[in-house]
Amino acid sequence: MDNPEADPEVTRGPHIPHRLVLSHDSHATVHGSGTLGRFNTWLAVRITKTVGTMWVAYIFAAIALVSLPAAIQSQNVIIIVAWIAQTFFQLVLLPIIIVGQNVIQAANDARAEADHETLTAVHKLTVEVHSINEAQSAILRQLQATGA
């Protein structure tokens, strides 16, 4: 290559392989990597994994249903709506939403791993093609120099 500007190593620097980052890899960025940060992360993940199960959703639904008869017997629309919004929705939907988020995140992690593997393979092929191209360019330069 006669023009150093055209050389990607000169203009952009050497290639730095990208790393695969999954959701569990980013825990330290939320609470820090110190002792207290690791404890806070552990506790938050533990509570989220416990509350974010369908079994907890069933338990919360049963707890919420305990107060349903009293809300209905009051025959007060405000109390019934408050029971639905404040008791049932907040208590039962929270663990269900967490379960849904866990399912979505697992799919995202699987997709990220598959994409990473694909992009790594594409990069390897690109490097090989570039190497072949460089060898062919060298041969062409030699042929041009000899006048063939």
Short mmCIF file of all heavy atoms in Angstrom, two decimals, residues 62-113:
data_model
loop_
_atom_site.label_atom_id
_atom_site.label_comp_id
_atom_site.label_asym_id
_atom_site.label_seq_id
_atom_site.Cartn_x
_atom_site.Cartn_y
_atom_site.Cartn_z
N ALA A 62 -53.60 -14.90 46.61
CA ALA A 62 -54.37 -15.45 47.73
C ALA A 62 -54.49 -14.43 48.86
O ALA A 62 -55.57 -14.25 49.45
CB ALA A 62 -53.72 -16.74 48.24
N ILE A 63 -53.41 -13.73 49.17
CA ILE A 63 -53.44 -12.70 50.21
C ILE A 63 -54.40 -11.59 49.81
O ILE A 63 -55.20 -11.11 50.64
CB ILE A 63 -52.02 -12.14 50.46
CG1 ILE A 63 -51.14 -13.20 51.12
CG2 ILE A 63 -52.07 -10.87 51.31
CD1 ILE A 63 -49.66 -12.84 51.16
N ALA A 64 -54.36 -11.18 48.55
CA ALA A 64 -55.24 -10.12 48.08
C ALA A 64 -56.70 -10.54 48.16
O ALA A 64 -57.58 -9.72 48.49
CB ALA A 64 -54.88 -9.71 46.66
N LEU A 65 -56.98 -11.80 47.86
CA LEU A 65 -58.37 -12.27 47.86
C LEU A 65 -58.98 -12.32 49.26
O LEU A 65 -60.20 -12.34 49.40
CB LEU A 65 -58.45 -13.64 47.18
CG LEU A 65 -58.20 -13.61 45.67
CD1 LEU A 65 -58.18 -15.02 45.12
CD2 LEU A 65 -59.24 -12.76 44.96
N VAL A 66 -58.13 -12.31 50.29
CA VAL A 66 -58.63 -12.32 51.66
C VAL A 66 -59.49 -11.08 51.93
O VAL A 66 -60.53 -11.16 52.58
CB VAL A 66 -57.46 -12.40 52.67
CG1 VAL A 66 -57.92 -12.13 54.09
CG2 VAL A 66 -56.80 -13.77 52.57
N SER A 67 -59.08 -9.94 51.40
CA SER A 67 -59.82 -8.70 51.67
C SER A 67 -60.90 -8.40 50.63
O SER A 67 -61.63 -7.43 50.77
CB SER A 67 -58.85 -7.51 51.74
OG SER A 67 -58.19 -7.36 50.49
N LEU A 68 -61.02 -9.24 49.59
CA LEU A 68 -62.03 -8.99 48.56
C LEU A 68 -63.46 -9.03 49.11
O LEU A 68 -64.26 -8.13 48.80
CB LEU A 68 -61.87 -9.98 47.41
CG LEU A 68 -62.92 -9.89 46.30
CD1 LEU A 68 -62.87 -8.51 45.64
CD2 LEU A 68 -62.70 -10.99 45.27
N PRO A 69 -63.84 -10.01 49.93
CA PRO A 69 -65.23 -10.02 50.43
C PRO A 69 -65.59 -8.74 51.19
O PRO A 69 -66.69 -8.21 51.03
CB PRO A 69 -65.27 -11.25 51.35
CG PRO A 69 -64.20 -12.14 50.86
CD PRO A 69 -63.13 -11.23 50.35
N ALA A 70 -64.67 -8.23 51.98
CA ALA A 70 -64.95 -7.00 52.73
C ALA A 70 -65.13 -5.82 51.78
O ALA A 70 -66.00 -4.97 51.99
CB ALA A 70 -63.82 -6.71 53.72
N ALA A 71 -64.32 -5.78 50.72
CA ALA A 71 -64.45 -4.69 49.74
C ALA A 71 -65.80 -4.77 49.02
O ALA A 71 -66.47 -3.75 48.82
CB ALA A 71 -63.31 -4.74 48.73
N ILE A 72 -66.22 -5.98 48.68
CA ILE A 72 -67.51 -6.15 47.98
C ILE A 72 -68.67 -5.84 48.92
O ILE A 72 -69.64 -5.19 48.54
CB ILE A 72 -67.61 -7.58 47.40
CG1 ILE A 72 -66.61 -7.75 46.26
CG2 ILE A 72 -69.03 -7.86 46.90
CD1 ILE A 72 -66.49 -9.14 45.72
N GLN A 73 -68.59 -6.31 50.17
CA GLN A 73 -69.66 -6.06 51.14
C GLN A 73 -69.84 -4.58 51.44
O GLN A 73 -70.95 -4.15 51.79
CB GLN A 73 -69.41 -6.83 52.44
CG GLN A 73 -69.71 -8.30 52.34
CD GLN A 73 -69.41 -9.04 53.64
OE1 GLN A 73 -68.76 -8.49 54.53
NE2 GLN A 73 -69.87 -10.27 53.73
N SER A 74 -68.81 -3.80 51.27
CA SER A 74 -68.94 -2.37 51.53
C SER A 74 -69.87 -1.70 50.52
O SER A 74 -70.45 -0.67 50.81
CB SER A 74 -67.57 -1.68 51.51
OG SER A 74 -67.11 -1.59 50.16
N GLN A 75 -70.02 -2.31 49.36
CA GLN A 75 -70.84 -1.80 48.27
C GLN A 75 -70.46 -0.36 47.91
O GLN A 75 -71.28 0.39 47.39
CB GLN A 75 -72.34 -1.91 48.62
CG GLN A 75 -72.78 -3.33 48.75
CD GLN A 75 -74.25 -3.47 49.03
OE1 GLN A 75 -74.95 -2.50 49.34
NE2 GLN A 75 -74.76 -4.68 48.91
N ASN A 76 -69.26 0.01 48.22
CA ASN A 76 -68.76 1.34 47.90
C ASN A 76 -67.83 1.21 46.70
O ASN A 76 -66.82 0.50 46.75
CB ASN A 76 -68.01 1.92 49.11
CG ASN A 76 -67.57 3.35 48.89
OD1 ASN A 76 -67.33 3.78 47.79
ND2 ASN A 76 -67.45 4.07 50.00
N VAL A 77 -68.18 1.90 45.60
CA VAL A 77 -67.41 1.80 44.37
C VAL A 77 -65.96 2.23 44.59
O VAL A 77 -65.03 1.60 44.05
CB VAL A 77 -68.06 2.65 43.26
CG1 VAL A 77 -67.22 2.65 42.00
CG2 VAL A 77 -69.45 2.14 42.96
N ILE A 78 -65.76 3.26 45.38
CA ILE A 78 -64.40 3.76 45.64
C ILE A 78 -63.56 2.67 46.32
O ILE A 78 -62.40 2.44 45.95
CB ILE A 78 -64.43 5.03 46.53
CG1 ILE A 78 -65.22 6.14 45.85
CG2 ILE A 78 -63.02 5.48 46.89
CD1 ILE A 78 -64.55 6.76 44.66
N ILE A 79 -64.13 1.98 47.28
CA ILE A 79 -63.39 0.92 47.99
C ILE A 79 -63.10 -0.26 47.07
O ILE A 79 -62.00 -0.82 47.09
CB ILE A 79 -64.18 0.47 49.25
CG1 ILE A 79 -64.17 1.62 50.27
CG2 ILE A 79 -63.56 -0.79 49.84
CD1 ILE A 79 -64.97 1.34 51.51
N ILE A 80 -64.07 -0.61 46.24
CA ILE A 80 -63.87 -1.73 45.30
C ILE A 80 -62.79 -1.37 44.28
O ILE A 80 -61.88 -2.18 44.02
CB ILE A 80 -65.19 -2.11 44.61
CG1 ILE A 80 -66.17 -2.68 45.65
CG2 ILE A 80 -64.95 -3.11 43.48
CD1 ILE A 80 -67.57 -2.89 45.14
N VAL A 81 -62.85 -0.16 43.73
CA VAL A 81 -61.83 0.27 42.78
C VAL A 81 -60.47 0.35 43.47
O VAL A 81 -59.45 -0.06 42.90
CB VAL A 81 -62.22 1.62 42.13
CG1 VAL A 81 -61.05 2.21 41.35
CG2 VAL A 81 -63.42 1.45 41.22
N ALA A 82 -60.45 0.86 44.69
CA ALA A 82 -59.18 0.94 45.44
C ALA A 82 -58.63 -0.46 45.69
O ALA A 82 -57.41 -0.68 45.59
CB ALA A 82 -59.39 1.68 46.75
N TRP A 83 -59.50 -1.41 46.01
CA TRP A 83 -59.03 -2.78 46.22
C TRP A 83 -58.40 -3.33 44.95
O TRP A 83 -57.31 -3.93 44.98
CB TRP A 83 -60.17 -3.71 46.66
CG TRP A 83 -59.70 -5.12 46.88
CD1 TRP A 83 -59.19 -5.64 48.01
CD2 TRP A 83 -59.65 -6.16 45.89
NE1 TRP A 83 -58.81 -6.95 47.81
CE2 TRP A 83 -59.09 -7.29 46.50
CE3 TRP A 83 -60.02 -6.25 44.56
CZ2 TRP A 83 -58.90 -8.50 45.84
CZ3 TRP A 83 -59.82 -7.45 43.89
CH2 TRP A 83 -59.26 -8.56 44.53
N ILE A 84 -59.09 -3.12 43.81
CA ILE A 84 -58.57 -3.63 42.53
C ILE A 84 -57.22 -2.98 42.21
O ILE A 84 -56.24 -3.66 41.90
CB ILE A 84 -59.57 -3.38 41.39
CG1 ILE A 84 -60.81 -4.26 41.59
CG2 ILE A 84 -58.94 -3.66 40.03
CD1 ILE A 84 -61.97 -3.90 40.67
N ALA A 85 -57.16 -1.63 42.32
CA ALA A 85 -55.96 -0.91 41.91
C ALA A 85 -54.82 -1.06 42.91
O ALA A 85 -53.68 -1.33 42.52
CB ALA A 85 -56.29 0.57 41.72
N GLN A 86 -55.13 -0.89 44.18
CA GLN A 86 -54.06 -0.85 45.18
C GLN A 86 -53.70 -2.22 45.74
O GLN A 86 -52.56 -2.47 46.10
CB GLN A 86 -54.45 0.08 46.32
CG GLN A 86 -54.58 1.51 45.86
CD GLN A 86 -55.13 2.42 46.95
OE1 GLN A 86 -55.50 1.96 48.03
NE2 GLN A 86 -55.20 3.69 46.66
N THR A 87 -54.67 -3.09 45.83
CA THR A 87 -54.38 -4.40 46.42
C THR A 87 -54.03 -5.41 45.34
O THR A 87 -52.93 -5.96 45.32
CB THR A 87 -55.57 -4.90 47.26
OG1 THR A 87 -55.87 -3.91 48.24
CG2 THR A 87 -55.24 -6.21 47.93
N PHE A 88 -54.97 -5.64 44.44
CA PHE A 88 -54.76 -6.71 43.48
C PHE A 88 -53.70 -6.37 42.45
O PHE A 88 -52.74 -7.12 42.27
CB PHE A 88 -56.08 -7.08 42.80
CG PHE A 88 -55.99 -8.39 42.07
CD1 PHE A 88 -56.03 -9.59 42.76
CD2 PHE A 88 -55.83 -8.42 40.69
CE1 PHE A 88 -55.93 -10.79 42.10
CE2 PHE A 88 -55.74 -9.63 40.02
CZ PHE A 88 -55.78 -10.81 40.72
N PHE A 89 -53.84 -5.25 41.76
CA PHE A 89 -52.89 -4.91 40.70
C PHE A 89 -51.47 -4.78 41.24
O PHE A 89 -50.54 -5.38 40.70
CB PHE A 89 -53.29 -3.61 40.00
CG PHE A 89 -54.41 -3.78 39.00
CD1 PHE A 89 -55.00 -2.66 38.44
CD2 PHE A 89 -54.88 -5.02 38.62
CE1 PHE A 89 -56.02 -2.78 37.53
CE2 PHE A 89 -55.90 -5.16 37.71
CZ PHE A 89 -56.48 -4.03 37.15
N GLN A 90 -51.30 -4.01 42.29
CA GLN A 90 -49.95 -3.78 42.79
C GLN A 90 -49.34 -5.03 43.41
O GLN A 90 -48.16 -5.31 43.22
CB GLN A 90 -49.94 -2.64 43.80
CG GLN A 90 -50.19 -1.30 43.15
CD GLN A 90 -50.15 -0.15 44.15
OE1 GLN A 90 -49.67 -0.32 45.26
NE2 GLN A 90 -50.64 1.00 43.75
N LEU A 91 -50.14 -5.78 44.13
CA LEU A 91 -49.61 -6.94 44.83
C LEU A 91 -49.36 -8.11 43.89
O LEU A 91 -48.34 -8.79 43.98
CB LEU A 91 -50.59 -7.35 45.94
CG LEU A 91 -50.10 -8.32 47.00
CD1 LEU A 91 -48.89 -7.74 47.73
CD2 LEU A 91 -51.21 -8.60 48.00
N VAL A 92 -50.27 -8.36 42.96
CA VAL A 92 -50.19 -9.54 42.11
C VAL A 92 -49.39 -9.28 40.83
O VAL A 92 -48.61 -10.12 40.40
CB VAL A 92 -51.59 -10.07 41.77
CG1 VAL A 92 -51.53 -11.25 40.82
CG2 VAL A 92 -52.32 -10.46 43.06
N LEU A 93 -49.56 -8.11 40.25
CA LEU A 93 -48.88 -7.85 38.98
C LEU A 93 -47.37 -7.65 39.12
O LEU A 93 -46.63 -7.93 38.20
CB LEU A 93 -49.49 -6.65 38.27
CG LEU A 93 -50.88 -6.89 37.69
CD1 LEU A 93 -51.37 -5.66 36.96
CD2 LEU A 93 -50.91 -8.09 36.77
N LEU A 94 -46.93 -7.19 40.29
CA LEU A 94 -45.49 -6.98 40.48
C LEU A 94 -44.67 -8.25 40.20
O LEU A 94 -43.77 -8.23 39.36
CB LEU A 94 -45.19 -6.45 41.88
CG LEU A 94 -43.71 -6.37 42.25
CD1 LEU A 94 -43.02 -5.31 41.41
CD2 LEU A 94 -43.54 -6.09 43.72
N PRO A 95 -44.95 -9.38 40.85
CA PRO A 95 -44.15 -10.57 40.55
C PRO A 95 -44.34 -11.07 39.13
O PRO A 95 -43.39 -11.58 38.52
CB PRO A 95 -44.60 -11.61 41.58
CG PRO A 95 -45.82 -11.08 42.20
CD PRO A 95 -45.87 -9.61 41.97
N ILE A 96 -45.54 -10.90 38.57
CA ILE A 96 -45.78 -11.36 37.19
C ILE A 96 -44.95 -10.53 36.22
O ILE A 96 -44.36 -11.06 35.27
CB ILE A 96 -47.28 -11.30 36.85
CG1 ILE A 96 -48.02 -12.33 37.71
CG2 ILE A 96 -47.51 -11.56 35.38
CD1 ILE A 96 -49.53 -12.25 37.60
N ILE A 97 -44.87 -9.22 36.44
CA ILE A 97 -44.06 -8.36 35.59
C ILE A 97 -42.59 -8.74 35.70
O ILE A 97 -41.86 -8.78 34.70
CB ILE A 97 -44.29 -6.87 35.94
CG1 ILE A 97 -45.69 -6.46 35.50
CG2 ILE A 97 -43.22 -5.98 35.30
CD1 ILE A 97 -46.11 -5.09 36.02
N ILE A 98 -42.13 -9.04 36.90
CA ILE A 98 -40.73 -9.44 37.09
C ILE A 98 -40.45 -10.75 36.34
O ILE A 98 -39.41 -10.90 35.69
CB ILE A 98 -40.38 -9.57 38.59
CG1 ILE A 98 -40.43 -8.20 39.26
CG2 ILE A 98 -39.00 -10.19 38.77
CD1 ILE A 98 -40.29 -8.24 40.77
N VAL A 99 -41.38 -11.71 36.42
CA VAL A 99 -41.22 -12.97 35.69
C VAL A 99 -41.11 -12.69 34.19
O VAL A 99 -40.23 -13.22 33.50
CB VAL A 99 -42.39 -13.94 35.98
CG1 VAL A 99 -42.37 -15.12 35.02
CG2 VAL A 99 -42.34 -14.42 37.41
N GLY A 100 -41.99 -11.83 33.69
CA GLY A 100 -41.95 -11.48 32.27
C GLY A 100 -40.63 -10.84 31.88
O GLY A 100 -40.05 -11.15 30.83
N GLN A 101 -40.14 -9.93 32.73
CA GLN A 101 -38.86 -9.28 32.45
C GLN A 101 -37.72 -10.30 32.47
O GLN A 101 -36.79 -10.20 31.66
CB GLN A 101 -38.58 -8.17 33.49
CG GLN A 101 -39.48 -6.97 33.33
CD GLN A 101 -39.25 -6.26 32.01
OE1 GLN A 101 -38.15 -6.17 31.52
NE2 GLN A 101 -40.33 -5.78 31.42
N ASN A 102 -37.77 -11.27 33.37
CA ASN A 102 -36.74 -12.31 33.42
C ASN A 102 -36.74 -13.14 32.13
O ASN A 102 -35.68 -13.49 31.61
CB ASN A 102 -36.93 -13.21 34.63
CG ASN A 102 -36.62 -12.51 35.93
OD1 ASN A 102 -35.93 -11.50 35.95
ND2 ASN A 102 -37.14 -13.04 37.02
N VAL A 103 -37.93 -13.46 31.64
CA VAL A 103 -38.04 -14.23 30.39
C VAL A 103 -37.47 -13.41 29.23
O VAL A 103 -36.69 -13.93 28.42
CB VAL A 103 -39.51 -14.62 30.11
CG1 VAL A 103 -39.68 -15.19 28.72
CG2 VAL A 103 -40.00 -15.61 31.17
N ILE A 104 -37.84 -12.14 29.17
CA ILE A 104 -37.34 -11.27 28.10
C ILE A 104 -35.83 -11.13 28.18
O ILE A 104 -35.13 -11.20 27.17
CB ILE A 104 -38.04 -9.89 28.17
CG1 ILE A 104 -39.51 -10.03 27.78
CG2 ILE A 104 -37.34 -8.87 27.29
CD1 ILE A 104 -40.35 -8.81 28.08
N GLN A 105 -35.30 -10.95 29.40
CA GLN A 105 -33.85 -10.78 29.56
C GLN A 105 -33.10 -12.05 29.18
O GLN A 105 -32.02 -11.98 28.59
CB GLN A 105 -33.49 -10.37 30.99
CG GLN A 105 -32.05 -9.97 31.15
CD GLN A 105 -31.66 -8.82 30.22
OE1 GLN A 105 -32.37 -7.82 30.14
NE2 GLN A 105 -30.56 -8.96 29.52
N ALA A 106 -33.65 -13.21 29.51
CA ALA A 106 -32.99 -14.46 29.12
C ALA A 106 -32.94 -14.57 27.60
O ALA A 106 -31.92 -15.00 27.04
CB ALA A 106 -33.74 -15.65 29.73
N ALA A 107 -34.02 -14.18 26.94
CA ALA A 107 -34.03 -14.20 25.47
C ALA A 107 -33.01 -13.20 24.92
O ALA A 107 -32.31 -13.50 23.94
CB ALA A 107 -35.43 -13.89 24.94
N ASN A 108 -32.93 -12.03 25.53
CA ASN A 108 -31.95 -11.03 25.08
C ASN A 108 -30.52 -11.53 25.26
O ASN A 108 -29.67 -11.32 24.39
CB ASN A 108 -32.13 -9.71 25.85
CG ASN A 108 -33.36 -8.96 25.42
OD1 ASN A 108 -33.91 -9.20 24.35
ND2 ASN A 108 -33.81 -8.04 26.25
N ASP A 109 -30.24 -12.18 26.39
CA ASP A 109 -28.90 -12.72 26.63
C ASP A 109 -28.57 -13.81 25.60
O ASP A 109 -27.46 -13.85 25.07
CB ASP A 109 -28.77 -13.28 28.04
CG ASP A 109 -28.56 -12.20 29.09
OD1 ASP A 109 -28.36 -11.02 28.71
OD2 ASP A 109 -28.58 -12.53 30.29
N ALA A 110 -29.54 -14.67 25.31
CA ALA A 110 -29.31 -15.73 24.32
C ALA A 110 -29.06 -15.12 22.94
O ALA A 110 -28.17 -15.56 22.20
CB ALA A 110 -30.51 -16.68 24.27
N ARG A 111 -29.83 -14.09 22.60
CA ARG A 111 -29.65 -13.41 21.33
C ARG A 111 -28.27 -12.72 21.27
O ARG A 111 -27.59 -12.77 20.25
CB ARG A 111 -30.77 -12.38 21.13
CG ARG A 111 -31.17 -12.16 19.73
CD ARG A 111 -32.42 -11.32 19.52
NE ARG A 111 -33.06 -10.72 20.65
CZ ARG A 111 -34.12 -11.23 21.29
NH1 ARG A 111 -34.64 -12.38 20.90
NH2 ARG A 111 -34.66 -10.60 22.31
N ALA A 112 -27.86 -12.12 22.38
CA ALA A 112 -26.55 -11.45 22.43
C ALA A 112 -25.42 -12.47 22.23
O ALA A 112 -24.46 -12.19 21.51
CB ALA A 112 -26.38 -10.71 23.75
N GLU A 113 -25.55 -13.62 22.85
CA GLU A 113 -24.52 -14.66 22.69
C GLU A 113 -24.46 -15.14 21.24
O GLU A 113 -23.38 -15.30 20.67
CB GLU A 113 -24.79 -15.84 23.62
CG GLU A 113 -24.49 -15.53 25.07
CD GLU A 113 -24.66 -16.75 25.97
OE1 GLU A 113 -24.14 -17.83 25.61
OE2 GLU A 113 -25.28 -16.60 27.03
#
